[in-house]
Amino acid sequence: MRLTLRRPDPRIGTEDDVVASRVAAFAIDQLLVVGLLVTLGSFVLGVAGATLGAGVELGIVEAPLSSLTGGTGAEFAIAAAAAVFGVAWTATTIAYFTVTEGAIGASVGKLLLGLVVVGTDGSPIGYRTAFVRSVLRIVDSQPGLYVLGVGSMLISDRRQRVGDRVAGTVVVAADRPTSAPSESANGTPV
């Protein structure tokens, strides 16, 4: 048995009906992004922490950091960690939405809540369009808590956030994907 994800079939014209579902789907997706960050971060921090710890013990890390920042190495490390976390969160979010929406037109949260991203003409989107939508989340998230993105959705006739407008996409309700057709022993559809 082979697991095959299929792009959900969009129900065009349902943009007004899915605003609350979009917000809930985004919350689910952000939990998944946090999970990815914790997993990747644990590995990276383990390796980096061991390396920096050895450098501090040997006396080769503290002095250069202190002279660079004018403070202690700990202050620099905290500031650097915050900057790295922000960049990692943004990069992971962009990658997550680009891959999931580019491949099947929906993130995990959207799939769970019966949503799909399509072009304004109802056509499936690809990776390039998904990337544009995803990068513009940076704009939509301003000045915080996606105020610009949600505001843009509320005043748009098709409930498009800034990323949707630039990418030429809408989020609509979707019919739940059906399972892939059964295959016979020789791999031909039954």
Side-chain angles (χ1 to χ4, degrees), residues 74-182:
E75 291 168 345
F76 176 79
I78 291 169
V84 166
F85 180 77
V87 170
W89 182 292
T90 301
T92 303
T93 299
I94 290 169
Y96 169 79
F97 283 103
T98 299
V99 169
T100 58
E101 292 178 353
I104 59 171
S107 62
V108 173
K110 286 181 181 76
L111 282 175
L112 290 173
L113 294 172
L115 304 173
V116 65
V117 182
V118 294
T120 53
D121 62 355
S123 62
I125 68 166
Y127 290 102
R128 179 177 294 147
T129 302
F131 178 74
V132 170
R133 284 186 91 245
S134 298
V135 166
L136 286 165
R137 287 179 189 284
I138 297 166
V139 173
D140 284 317
S141 66
Q142 301 306 313
L145 298 174
Y146 275 78
V147 171
L148 185 60
V150 171
S152 176
M153 282 174 44
L154 294 176
I155 63 170
S156 166
D157 291 342
R158 300 199 67 191
R159 303 297 175 232
Q160 294 170 292
R161 60 180 180 79
V162 173
D164 288 315
R165 289 178 187 205
V166 173
T169 59
V170 292
V171 178
V172 296
D175 294 326
R176 299 280 180 188
T178 57
S179 60
S182 299

